[in-house]
Amino acid sequence: MVFIEPPFPFELYGMNYNHGATEKKWQNLWNEKKSFEAKEDPSKKKYYVLSMFPYPSGRIHMGHVRNYTLGDVVARLRRAQGFNVLHPMGWDAFGLPAENAARERGISPKDWTYDNIANMRGELKRIGLSIDWSREFATCDVTYYKQQQKLFLDFYKKGLAYRRKSFVNWDPIDETVLANEQVIDGRGWRSGALVEKRELNQWFFKITAYAEDLLQSLSTLDRWPEKVRLMQENWIGKSEGAKVFFKLTAPIARAGASPAPAADAERMVTIEVFTTRPDTLFGASFIALSPGHPITAELAKNNTKLADFVTECNRIGTTAAAIETAEKMGFDTGLTVAHPFIAGKTLPVYIANFVLMDYGTGAIFGCPAHDQRDFDFATKYKLSVIEVIAQKGEKQPLPYTGDGVLQNSGFLNGLDVATAKKTAIEKLKSMGIGEGVTQFRLRDWGVSRQRYWGCPIPVIHCKACGVVPVPEIQLPVVLPEDADFKKGGNPLDNHPTWKHVKCPSCKADAQRETDTCDTFVDSSWYYARFCSPKNDAAPITKSATDYWLPVDQYVGGVEHAILHLLYSRFFTRAMNETGHVGLKEPFAGLFTQGMVCHESYKDEDGKWLYPEEMEKRPDGTAVNVKTGRPVTVGRVEVMSKSKRNVVDPGRIIDAYGADTARLFMLSDSPPERDLEWTESGIDGAWRYINRLWRLVDDENLDLPPINEKIEGAPAEGALKLKKHIHKTIARVTDCLSRFAFNAAVASVRELTNLLQEYESHVYKVGTAAVLVSNNKDAAQPDAGMMLKETKDQRIIYREGVETVAKLISPMLPHIASEMWEKLGHKTMLVDEAWPTPEAALLVDNVVTIAVQVNGKLRATIELPRDCAKDKAEAIALAQDSVVRALNGSQPKKVIIVPNKIVNVVA
RNA sequence: GCGGGCGUGGCGGAAUUGGUAGACGCGCUGGAUUUAGGUUCCAGUGGGGUGACUCGUGGGGGUUCAAGUCCCUCCGCCCGUACCA
C-alpha cells in the first residue's frame, strides 16, 4: 500500500513518458483552443452527455472519477463521430452537510460550499474531462435558485404545488426536524432523544397527477436499463382493486366537543378499505387500521392503552423498511364491523403496525388463508383462517396466493380468481358498499424542508389573504447570510428579521414561508438549465432546450434509479405543462454505473485503518505501518469515509497520472458492476500506459510518411495485420457504443500486443526493415518480395499505431494525443474523426468450426466460409476423435450450423 | 418486509442472437537482460489424469442435438425503500 510519492521518478525505471507534464500540456491546449465549448449549431447533429453532478463535499472520491470517466468516454467518442456534443458540469450544492458544518465548526454554509466547490473543481479538472466549463453553475447560486422559485410559482399557479399536513421526525430536545438518516434506533443522532412524529403543514408537488403517464411512458425509454424501468414501475405501483365500506356494528362516539364536519362524521360509522383481493372477501377474518388512521386517533382519545400502543408504533419511525420489518403487532379495539356479504357475521377491528397510512385508505381487511402478512397476524392473534380458494394440483401449506377456484364463498363459488374479483366488485357496487378503483402506490412529493441551506419557497403567509405568491419582480427570495446555527430548529424561522414582510396583496404584516426546497428539486431540472445557464430572464431558453434536449446519455449511480430520476421525469412534465420546455422525457438514454469498493482494514483494537496505514507482508499477513501490529483484512466493501477504505484520487493522479486512473476505472470491471480498487490493478494500468508510449517512442521507429499508401495488393503479412486493425476498429466501436468499455480496452490491448510482437520480429536495416522469420528452416523470401513486404509492413504498422491512438483516445486522451503528435501530426487528435473499418477486411474466407459429438467438443476444423453442409459433415465425420467417440456406431443425426458448429448425435 | 440486481479459474472479468467457456488483465511459475528491480522481454498457467479422456460458469432440478445464456427452485451478497445526496 505504499505509493511512490510525487514527483514520480519516472526516468529511474527507464520510462520516458512524463505523465505529469504531458497531461498538463494537453489540458492547457484544450482549454486554450476551447475545444469542448459547445455552441448551438442546427446544421450539426447534437449529442448531450450528462454525468450526475456531484455534491460538493470537499474532495472528489473514486466514485466521481468513475462516473465522470464513463461520461467522458461517451462525450469524446460522440465528438469524434462528428456530433455537436454538450458535456457540462455543475454542483448539487444545497443540503444538510453544509448546515452540519455550520453547526459544528461555525463556518457559514455558503463559504463552506463555495470553498469545497473551488477545491473539487481543481481536482476534477485534473482528470482531463472534455467538459464545457463555461456552463458551470451551482444550485446554491442565487441566479439558479431564483429561476427555481419562478418554476415553483408556475407550478403553484397550475395547482401542481399545494400545501397539506404531513408527518415529520421531530427531535424534542434539538427542536428540529430530522432526516431519516439522522434517526438511529428511534432516537435523534445528536440529542439521543426519542423521536416523535409531528404533523406539520408542508408543501407537496402533485406527482400523482402524472402517475399513469409516468408509468406508460416507461415503455418509450428503450435506452434505459430494464431494471430501472422495472423499479420505477413497481414504485409507481399501479394496482386494480376495490374500495369496500365496512359498517361498524356500533358507531364511534366522538370524544371532541366541537362538531365534526359531515364527511368526517361519516367516517366514524364505516371503515373504508382498499383491497386488491376483493375475491377473498368471504375469507376475511379481521380489519386492521393504520396507527395513523383518523379512527385510531379518535379511539385513542379515550383509551390510554391504545394511545400507548400508537406511541409504540410511531417509535419505529417513518421509513417503510423499519415499519415492515418490525414484528407484527396488533391492538384489538373491541370494535366490530359487519361482513358485507355474510348476514350476521362480524369481523374484529385491530390497529396494526404494518398498515401504512400513506397507501390506499390506511385500512385493510385480512384474509389469512391467502396472504402471508395476514396469515402471520392471524396466527399471532388466533384469528380464524378460512380457505376460499381451492388450490390446483398438489396442496401447498397456507397461505396460498396462486390462482384457483373459489369455495366457501357464496355467490363466488366455482369462479376463478380473476372472474371472482370482477363479480365481487359488481356486487359491492350494486349494494352501494364499494366500487372498483385503480390505486397507485406513488405518493405526492413532499418538498418542504425545515432547513436553512436550500432554495426558499417563494410564498408569503398573510392572515387575511392566506398563501400569497411572491410577485415575480420581487424574486429572488434570497437566503440571509447572518443566520444563527447555534439554536435548534430552522435558522430561517429563528432569524430576527428575514421572515417579516408585508403582504404583497393587502400590505398588512405577513410572514415569509420559512421552508426551503428538498434538494431533489434542485437536481430535477439542472439538466435543462445547462442548455442556457446564463439566462437571467427565465429558467429556460426555449431555443436552446429545443436544440439540446433530451439528454442523449445520462450517466450516474443506480442509487438514483427511483427517486431522482422519477422526480426529474415529473419535473419535465410540469415544466412542459407550464410552457417552459417542449418535451416530457428528460433522459433518452440512461446508464447506471456500479460503485467503487475496496478492502477494509481493522487493527487489534477494532479501529478502521486507511489503506496507506497498513502494509501487506510477503507471507500474506498484514501489519500497521507505524506500529508493526497485525491488521485484519476485512471484506471488500463500498468505499466510505466511516470505514476508511478510501483511496484519494488526487494521490493516484499525482503518482500515476490521470490516464492511468482512467484506464483502471475502465479496464477490468464492466461499468454497470461494482469495481474493486486494487493496487496491483493500478500498477497494471500504469504499465500499459508505458507500453503504449514505447510503441511510438523509439529512435529506430523509421515510419513512412503520413498518408503513404500501399501500392497494389498488400503483402501477405501486411494484410493479416491490416485485417486485425480493422476488426479491432469494428469491435471497439461496437463495444464503446454499448458501454462494454472493459471489452473495448481488452480489444485495443490485443492490438497493442500484436503490434509490439510484430515490431520485435523486425530489424531495421538502413531505411528499410527486414522481416525475420521465427522459423530458421523456412525458405526466406527473395529480395524483391522482402522489400515489398517490409515496405507494406511499415505502412501498416503506422496505420496500426495511429489506430491504437485513435481508439484509445476516449479513454486515455492525454497519452493518445501525445502519441498522435509523436507520430508527426500537426493536428490535434481531439479534432480527428473516429476511424471506420473497411468492410472487406472484416470477413475471413477460412473459418474455424467446432465439431461436437453429443454436444461435447471433439475437434475443430478449418473450412472455407459458407462451405456446403454435406462437405462439412463429411470432413467432420472423418476426424479421428469423432471416429473414436462414435466407437463404430452410426450417427443418428448431424446438426450443422454454417460457419459455427457441427454436432453429431450418436 | 417489499422492489431490483449480481454470482464464471487463485483474483477482476470475456463469451452481441442458445452453438469451441475462460478473450484481455492481475497474480503465480520458469527462463533471459540487469549491480539491483514494483523495469523490460520470452514461455507456461481452470481442476483431475502419464495419456485417451474427464470434471467444470453459487446449490438442486428441468427444456434442448446443444445451456454461463431459457424455465423452476433454493442459497449468498449488494442497492433502493419516499427528509442522505
Side-chain angles (χ1 to χ4, degrees), chain A residues 246 248 252 254 264 266-272 287 289-301 306 310 333 335 337 349-351 357 362-363:
Chain A
F246 285 88
L248 284 160
I252 301 161
R254 292 183 60 85
D264 209 15
E266 182 66 22
R267 276 203 170 150
M268 297 297 138
V269 295
T270 59
I271 296 174
E272 188 182 329
I287 297 286
L289 304 178
S290 163
H293 196 280
I295 291 178
T296 309
E298 191 60 38
L299 292 171
K301 286 178 186 168
L306 175 54
V310 171
T333 61
L335 300 176
V337 295
V349 177
Y350 281 77
I351 313 297
M357 195 56 222

Side-chain angles (χ1 to χ4, degrees), chain A residues 381-409:
Chain A
Y381 293 100
K382 302 194 169 52
L383 301 168
S384 57
V385 178
I386 308 151
E387 273 188 81
V388 291
I389 294 164
Q391 300 185 18
K392 287 177 175 172
E394 208 176 311
K395 181 133 171 124
Q396 290 158 26
L398 293 178
Y400 174 75
T401 53
D403 196 6
V405 174
L406 273 281
Q407 60 181 20
N408 302 326
S409 292

Side-chain angles (χ1 to χ4, degrees), chain A residues 344-390:
Chain A
K345 177 166 178 157
T346 62
L347 305 172
V349 177
Y350 281 77
I351 313 297
N353 63 349
F354 61 87
V355 181
L356 305 171
M357 195 56 222
D358 293 311
Y359 182 64
T361 58
I364 61 155
F365 82 79
C367 174
H370 307 291
D371 182 277
Q372 184 66 52
R373 269 195 314 201
D374 297 349
F375 186 82
D376 296 344
F377 193 81
T379 308
K380 185 163 179 181
Y381 293 100
K382 302 194 169 52
L383 301 168
S384 57
V385 178
I386 308 151
E387 273 188 81
V388 291
I389 294 164

Side-chain angles (χ1 to χ4, degrees), chain A residues 129-145:
Chain A
L129 304 169
S130 63
I131 280 169
D132 178 357
W133 285 101
S134 72
R135 291 172 187 258
E136 176 192 355
F137 62 78
T139 55
C140 64
D141 293 345
V142 180
T143 50
Y144 184 79
Y145 73 72

Side-chain angles (χ1 to χ4, degrees), chain A residues 52 71 108 140 244 278 293 300 316 355 363 366 369 415 435 470 523 525 575 633 654 664 671 687 785 821 896:
Chain A
M52 289 179 184
S108 92
C140 64
V244 186
H293 196 280
I316 298 167
V355 181
L415 304 176
E435 58 184 340
V470 174
S523 55
W525 69 286
M575 287 195 295
V633 177
D654 286 340
F664 179 78
R687 280 203 294 268
M785 272 180 68
E821 190 183 73
I896 300 167

